[in-house]
Amino acid sequence: MGDSDGVWISSDGGRHFARDTTAPGDGTAGSASGRLWTIDHATQSAYLTDDGRTWTSIPLPPAE
């Protein structure tokens, strides 16, 4: 789960959660099936993670 202060991550299948404040982006976030994404509008990048600790940056297409 993401929010503007970071993400809550679980390493035991959702039984316990801890806050990780290293989430990139500007607070726009979403999730689906064990994955979390955030958006950084300033850099036009999306960031994806499946563990809340390692993030992959993907450039977004230019706005039309």
Side-chain angles (χ1 to χ4, degrees), residues 23-60:
D26 60 13
T28 302
S31 63
S33 186
R35 306 287 190 264
L36 175 69
W37 54 266
T38 65
I39 302 292
D40 187 336
H41 290 95
T43 64
Q44 286 297 295
S45 298
Y47 297 90
L48 307 172
T49 185
D50 60 0
D51 64 7
R53 293 182 178 94
T54 304
W55 296 85
T56 301
S57 174
I58 299 172
L60 295 174

